[in-house]
Amino acid sequence: MQLLIDYNLEGDMDLLIATLQQDGWTDLLLLEFVHLRETPLGPEAKDNDIWRYVQAQGMILLTNNRNKDDETSLQATIERENSPESLPILTIASPLRLKESGYRHTVAERLAEILMNLENHLGTGRLYLP
C-alpha cells in the first residue's frame, strides 16, 4: 500500500517510518512511502489536485494542515467530492509530537489499525491520528 507524504510532513515522518519499520508494520502491511516531490504534482500542487491524485492512484495521503481556506482546499474538496468508495485522508494531529516515543507509537498503531481495516474507513473523508 502506498502512502503519500505531504510536503509539510517530510521532516517529521522519518521517526514515524522508523517506528513502523521497527514494529513490523511495514512488512505486515507492505507499506511504501512516497513523497509529494516524487509525484508529477510537486509541492506547489493545489489540495484538490492532490486529493484527486491519491484517489485515482489508490494512495493514502498523510498530512497535517490541509484546511478549508477556499474551494480548492482539502477539506472543501472532501466535502464536495467524497464518495462512499473514497479513501480516507489521514491527518496527524500533532506532528511535532512525533518526537515523543509514546505519541509516535500511538500514531503508528492507529495508522496500522486503519490500514488493516481500510474497507471500514472508505468514505469517511478525513481521519485524525492518533
Side-chain angles (χ1 to χ4, degrees):
M1 175 170 299
Q2 289 186 319
L3 288 92
L4 181 62
I5 300 170
D6 202 351
Y7 71 91
N8 57 19
L9 279 179
E10 287 198 7
D12 300 310
M13 282 301 295
D14 293 341
L15 289 171
L16 181 58
I17 292 170
T19 299
L20 289 162
Q21 291 170 336
Q22 178 185 18
D23 293 349
W25 293 118
T26 53
D27 295 328
L28 180 66
L29 296 168
L30 302 175
L31 300 178
E32 177 185 352
F33 297 93
V34 179
H35 295 273
L36 187 60
R37 59 182 152 70
E38 298 171 331
T39 71
L41 297 170
E44 300 84 24
K46 293 186 181 290
D47 291 0
N48 59 349
D49 292 332
I50 294 171
W51 189 87
R52 291 176 188 137
Y53 179 82
V54 295
Q55 297 301 318
Q57 299 299 316
M59 301 172 88
I60 300 293
L61 175 63
L62 286 169
T63 189
N64 77 343
N65 76 346
R66 301 286 179 160
N67 52 39
K68 190 177 177 179
D69 287 341
D70 60 38
E71 286 305 306
T72 67
S73 71
L74 183 60
Q75 191 58 40
T77 303
I78 291 169
E79 291 172 6
R80 185 178 57 251
E81 299 183 28
N82 197 48
S83 75
E85 297 82 32
S86 295
L87 294 166
I89 302 303
L90 304 182
T91 302
I92 297 179
S94 299
L96 295 177
R97 290 191 60 204
L98 288 174
K99 293 173 180 60
E100 302 171 19
S101 177
Y103 182 80
R104 191 170 57 250
H105 281 278
T106 302
V107 170
E109 288 174 16
R110 177 70 175 133
L111 174 60
E113 174 191 331
I114 290 168
L115 296 178
M116 287 189 304
N117 299 293
L118 192 56
E119 67 280 354
N120 296 333
H121 300 287
L122 298 178
T124 57
R126 183 192 296 261
L127 298 172
Y128 287 88
L129 305 175

